Structures are given as structure tokens and as C-alpha cells.
Amino acid sequence: MEGKNLFFLVSIILLLIFTFLNLPSPLSHTTDQLFDCTTYSPWCSSKKPFFLRQPENSKNHYADFPNHPLDPLTIGEIQKVKKIVNSIAEFRIKGCVLHSVVLEEPEKEVVLNWRKGHRLPPRKAAVVARALGVVHVLSVDIETGRVTRRETGSYSGYPILTIEDMVTAISAPFASSDFNRSIIQRGVDLADLACLPISTGWYEKMEEKQRVIKVQCYTLKDTINFYMRPIEGLTVLLDLDTQQVIEIIDEGKSIPIPKAANTDYRFSRIKKNTQKINLLKPISIEQPNGPSFTIENNHLVKWANWEFHLKPDPRAGVIISQAMVQDPDTGKMRNVMYKGFTSELFVPYMDPTDAWYFKTYMDAGEYGFGLQAMPLDPLNDCPRNAYYMDGVFVAADGTPYVRSNMICVFERYAGDIGWRHAECPITGLSIREVRPKVTLVVRMAASVANYDYIVDWEFQNDGLIRPKVGLSGILMVKGSPYVNMNQVNQNEYLYGTLLSENIIGVIHDHYVTFHLDMDIDGPSNNSFVKVNLQKEMTSSGESPRRSYLKAVRNVAKTEKDAQIKLKLYDPSEFHVINSNKKSRVGNPVGYKVVPGGTAASLLDHDDPPQKRAAFTNNQIWVTPYNESEQWAAGLFVYQSQGDDTLAIWSDRDRAIENKDIVLWYTLGFHHIPCQEDFPIMPTVSSSFEIKPVNFFESNPILNIPPNSPKDLPICKAAASA
């Protein structure tokens, strides 16, 4: 290959990996800046001085310091951790790779007893490192410089992939002449190639013995939407540690590469002869007095009657902690949830063929949900007056870098109603009372390769919390010899939908499991109650009615009592109560989880992907609080065998009555692709609610005022056409 073509090929590889990981592209800098550690690059030498470049309009994080026990590690703290870890003799000799560096949160009791103005508890970092194939779990005391806990040993699975792992994976195949030959035989120029690193799952094969990854490729020719131009049937299996190609499977030579026509989704590139839709006039919700929320010391959010701690996380994305709501009668802040976050995502594709069977992604534990978060686009991802929060994460060599505009916080008013009542004229009462609904939204959007996930945490001033997940982005498609369904044999199954000529959208599921550490009026004496609605028959002559519904309350004694599969014809409510706290009239105070539209996994429980994702076997689980049980698929997910999951923990059947308990809820989607999903998908969303039940003495927003014309600005509209 000529030098110019090789340089172009390497440039394309770098561009793709930085696009895949949402990192600032080094190709946007001059040659002198390409290997400069002023911006994060995996090729930077750790010996060079580190100066973090702030993205445009980003905050300067050098001056950051912790103000709260749960504040994330600062740049200065990360640099200290790097120095401490590098001083370990074994790591100096063997070298190590850092897969995770995050705050090791203090014990829950310590955090709950801490008050503003008090000295912070000792700051520690939880570090996951690998040296010569051995995983080390470290607890680093930042103040003393000592490693206070160190674990080594065999774990099922491996830690989250590093950026360097992915860079290696997409570049290593080019060292194979067999791979290059296969690409050229498909009629694809190597300079047009776009490849992706794909987790392998675990199927009781070589995945037990070595850290491996699979690579599949596409062509960028004539479109930025390379996902729609797969080189079908070509799969490379790599050893991640040796960077050697283990196997090349090439079974799709007869399948044509789909054409690029109509695949570009960028507004600037839509063909001139294609009608651009402009159905709406501009709309903007203005706040002339500014937003009603404040964010103190970078992480403490205060809005209306809510207060909570907010921080970015490389694995979970967003973590909400110490959510408290004000009681309208006493004025006191009351505990609702100690910690809530996205624990894991499971995305199995329903195609058992050689090039597809392994596509059963665990996006948080394999790739890092927060690491894939993209900078949010003002006015499109988030409205005017939104507050943006950056994430500070850590590269494999310990170098900190900034993910700018990772989270936004804003108020939403969409014309919804908080409560209302109007009297019918026959009563003779002229009453019309209405209150508007304004909510606070915390948003993150993660682009995990082709798919985009929009995660909202929405707070209402009536005490409700609504986690919501939106799916958008681009389908993962397979190449097909067919251009029309009339060519398909009646007995042939496509594993999906023919979306366009030679393109099949493969059926798949999405499961998003939330960790909800509910602390209703404190962590102790919390219980899970299933309130089952049962049909009750009336006695003969008792009533003109023959049946009615009766609410039957069952307090879960142990974990197995709280393993819930949702059933439409067996309706229930699911309460978390504090049995020691009663309302004025004697009801236990609590919150309930209200399921929304969801889906359940139909995979066989003995299917290897479902073994690893056994946390989706139920929609609701309840476990006793355990600080080591946070990740539903286990601490180490990559190539895990399913022996450290929520299902394993829950089968211990521990006591959960009158305990500090954690509720887990899984939101699910079945996705049968359709033509409207091509070339990019309109967002589809689902949510669930965490809602007060007998927590307040009455409607907590009874006393909020209605809107009046004098309170709202009048914007002069442009003359209508």
C-alpha cells in the first residue's frame, strides 16, 4: 500500500474510534498537536506534562475541589491517584492498565450523618487495574497516599474495555494479509473501511481462556452512515492482549454491499431534490427571571421542594443521590431515595447465525454507559436556560480528561396540568381551579456505537420521580441478497425486516435495569409490600353487584417474595414503606413503583446470553442493601459467565422486612424494525414512576398558585402568513 493511502487509512481508523467513543478527535488539530497531551489521546506518552485542554465553552476544572462526600474525583485527586498507583513496585515493573478510577464512596451511615460545614470524610479512589492479565481491585487513600485495600484473584469476566482496547481492536486486523485480501475481494477500498469493536459475550468456548473481541466492518464510501453498508459475513476474532488475529470468518461473499443512496441523515447533506420538512414555526419556552433551580458547589441541585446530589459516572452515566423532598406541612426535608442510577443495559439481537449470535451487548459493564455519553447540543438536546455539567474521567494510563456538556438540567413546561377541577353548571357553583405542571429534568444521552439512549430523571413537585429512557440513533443491520420481499421464499426467515434494498433490520430487545436504593424517611425499617388487586364475589342477596376488587397487602419477608413478573391480569401495586412511620390517620408512609409500558425477555433461561442477563428474568427485585451489589450483571461483565448477577444475589433469599433495602426495576423494549426506522430512527420512549403513597398528609401541591397573565411575559409573535 502506498504511503499516502496508509496515512489516510490510519486517519480514518482514528476518526472512527474517536467518533465511536465521543472523544475530541485528534485529527481536528494540527500535526504538532496530534500527540500533545494537552488533550486526551491514548497515544500520549505518560512522561509528558499534562495540561488539560478545556473544550470551547467548557468550565475550567483545575480549580475544582470536593464539597460533599459524594462529589466525584477532581482532576487534582486523579493525578494523585495516578502517582500513587504508579509507585506500586509490581506495577512499575510490569506496567498496568487502569480500567476504572472513581470515587470510593464513604459508608452510607457516614454520608447520612455528614452536614454542610463539617470536615469531609477521607477521600478514597476505587481503582480497577490489570497487570499481566491479573485484575487488581484497589482502594487508594488520596490523603495518606496508601493503598488500604488490595484484592487479586480470579473473577468471572473482565473489567470495562479501555479506549486503547478498542483502538487496538479496529486497527489490528489490518496487519493480516488474509483480512486485507477479503476486503479487497469484496470490492471495498481499504481506505473506505470503517470497523467496530464488538463484545463477544460468553459461550463456553475460548472466551474462558483469553480476553477476546470481534471486529466487523462497513464501507464509508459515499455516506457517513456506514452502518447501512455492512460487509456481511466477515468477522475477525482477536486476542485483545496479544493483538493477534485468532480467526477470520468470511461467509457472506455472495451478499452485495447495500448502496449508499438515501442513507445520509445530516440536514446539510439531504439532497436538494428531496423536500426538507419545515412543518413548525420556532418555539421556545422563555424564563425572563431565570430558572427556578440552583446548583450549589457544582453538584447539589435544589428545585422547588426537591434537593439531591447529581454527578456523572463513567459506568452508570448519571447518579442521583440523597434525593429529599420537603414536607409542605412541617417544612422539613424528608428522605426518599439514597441512590438511583442505570445499573446495566442488555441488548440481545435475535439472529443465531455465525455473524450475529454473539451480539448480546451489556452496554454499561462492557463499554461504560457514561463513557459513551455525547456532548449535548444546546437548543436541540436541551432547551434554553439549561445548566450543563461536565464529566471528568480517566484514561487507561491514569490521565484525566473532560467529557463536556455530558448532563443537562432544565425545567420543562409542556402545557400539562398538575391538578384541576371544574364544577358542572347544574350544581350552581362557578368553580374552575387549575394548576400548571412544571417539572425538573436531568438528562444524559449516550451514543453506544449505532444506538443513542436518552436517559431522563424527571422530578415533579407533587413528589413523583419519573425515570425515562428514549431510544434513537441507527439500526444495526445485516446485508441481504434481496431488494424486495417478493424475492423471499415463503419458508425463509429473515430474522428481521427488509428496510431498503439489501438491508435487513434485525429484531432485538433493549433492557435497562435501574438500581433504586429507596430510603423512605431513612434507611432503616423499610419493607416491600405487594398490594394485589383480587376479584371478590358478593354473597347471594348482598348487593345488585356480583363482584368487586379487593386490595390485599402482602409484606415480603425475604428476597424471593419480592421477585416480580408483571402480569396484566394479575394487577398489583408495589410499595416501599417505612413501617415505623405512620400518617396522621395511621397508614404507613411510603412510595410505590408504577410500571409503564415495558417488555420481558423471552429467551430461554439456559441460553448463555440470558444466563449473563438473568437480572432481566423479573421486572422487579428487592435486595437488602449491600454496597458491593450495585451492578446487576456483576462487577466484571466482559465475557462474564453469569455467576455474579442480581439473580444470584437474590437467590440467597435474605431477609428484607424492616431493613435497608434496594429495589431494582427493569424497563424493556421489543423492537421489530420497520421502514420508518431507516436511515435513522425517530425516538421511542418508555418510563416508570416512583410515586408517593400516603407519604404526605394530603395533596402536596394544593397550595401552589395558578398562572396569571401578569406573571408571564408576552412575546410578540411575527405576523402570520
Side-chain angles (χ1 to χ4, degrees), residues 267-285:
F267 190 77
S268 62
R269 299 299 179 93
I270 295 175
K271 287 185 177 180
K272 293 181 180 178
N273 59 358
T274 300
Q275 183 179 0
K276 294 183 179 180
I277 301 175
N278 190 12
L279 300 177
L280 303 174
K281 295 177 181 179
I283 182 171
S284 178
I285 305 301

Side-chain angles (χ1 to χ4, degrees), residues 207-417:
E207 293 97 342
E208 280 192 50
K209 302 174 183 177
Q210 57 194 139
R211 210 166 59 108
V212 295
I213 197 165
K214 291 187 176 181
V215 176
Q216 292 184 336
C217 299
Y218 308 76
T219 175
L220 270 165
K221 185 173 175 58
D222 299 327
T223 182
I224 196 66
N225 191 356
F226 59 87
Y227 298 103
M228 292 297 144
R229 305 202 69 196
I231 302 173
E232 191 59 43
L234 179 62
T235 305
V236 181
L237 180 65
L238 288 169
D239 184 312
L240 266 173
D241 295 319
T242 66
Q243 305 178 21
Q244 296 298 308
V245 173
I246 299 171
E247 183 182 18
I248 297 176
I249 301 173
D250 190 0
E251 297 180 343
K253 293 180 180 179
S254 62
I255 299 175
I257 295 174
K259 293 181 172 58
N262 301 318
T263 60
D264 204 325
Y265 48 84
R266 293 171 295 175
F267 190 77
S268 62
R269 299 299 179 93
I270 295 175
K271 287 185 177 180
K272 293 181 180 178
N273 59 358
T274 300
Q275 183 179 0
K276 294 183 179 180
I277 301 175
N278 190 12
L279 300 177
L280 303 174
K281 295 177 181 179
I283 182 171
S284 178
I285 305 301
E286 303 299 330
Q287 296 179 283
N289 297 324
S292 298
F293 66 88
T294 59
I295 298 184
E296 297 181 1
N297 297 321
N298 300 320
H299 296 285
L300 185 62
V301 181
K302 295 183 177 181
W303 173 77
N305 50 349
W306 279 103
E307 178 179 312
F308 56 89
H309 186 273
L310 171 65
K311 68 178 176 183
D313 182 81
R315 183 164 178 171
V318 170
I319 294 180
I320 306 285
S321 299
Q322 289 194 284
M324 297 184 289
V325 67
Q326 187 178 43
D327 191 300
D329 296 318
T330 66
K332 293 182 179 179
M333 301 301 295
R334 298 173 64 186
N335 292 311
V336 174
M337 183 176 71
Y338 180 73
K339 192 174 184 180
F341 59 91
T342 303
S343 179
E344 191 54 85
L345 298 90
F346 175 47
V347 188
Y349 281 78
M350 304 304 167
D351 184 339
T353 59
D354 279 348
W356 281 80
Y357 75 89
F358 54 88
K359 294 182 180 180
T360 54
Y361 305 101
M362 303 275 196
D363 288 332
E366 293 177 338
Y367 295 101
F369 199 40
L371 294 177
Q372 310 306 318
M374 63 180 177
L376 295 164
D377 184 19
L379 301 184
N380 292 299
D381 278 319
C382 313
R384 200 184 307 278
N385 287 319
Y387 173 94
Y388 293 89
M389 183 178 293
D390 300 340
V392 177
F393 298 148
V394 185
D397 67 350
T399 302
Y401 65 94
V402 174
R403 181 61 43 81
S404 63
N405 289 4
M406 175 180 164
I407 298 171
C408 72
V409 182
F410 61 91
E411 288 172 296
R412 170 189 281 150
Y413 174 59
D416 293 326
I417 297 168

Side-chain angles (χ1 to χ4, degrees), residues 406-508:
M406 175 180 164
I407 298 171
C408 72
V409 182
F410 61 91
E411 288 172 296
R412 170 189 281 150
Y413 174 59
D416 293 326
I417 297 168
W419 65 263
R420 84 176 313 277
H421 180 65
E423 276 295 339
C424 175
I426 63 172
T427 65
L429 299 174
S430 179
I431 291 178
R432 185 176 60 189
E433 290 285 327
V434 187
R435 301 296 184 270
K437 179 190 286 187
V438 179
T439 64
L440 184 77
V441 178
V442 175
R443 172 170 295 168
M444 181 204 78
S447 297
V448 188
N450 56 306
Y451 251 101
D452 288 57
Y453 294 87
I454 305 103
V455 178
D456 287 355
W457 288 82
E458 186 171 14
F459 294 81
Q460 295 183 182
N461 50 21
D462 60 2
L464 181 144
I465 306 172
R466 181 182 297 106
K468 179 180 177 182
V469 177
L471 308 179
S472 188
I474 302 169
L475 287 172
M476 185 71 76
V477 303
K478 66 183 297 183
S480 168
Y482 304 120
V483 298
N484 194 285
M485 286 300 296
N486 61 20
Q487 298 174 299
V488 182
N489 186 295
Q490 188 174 4
N491 296 323
E492 183 177 1
Y493 184 60
L494 300 180
Y495 302 106
T497 305
L498 189 67
L499 304 177
S500 187
E501 289 79 1
N502 306 117
I503 297 175
I504 293 174
V506 177
I507 296 170
H508 57 282

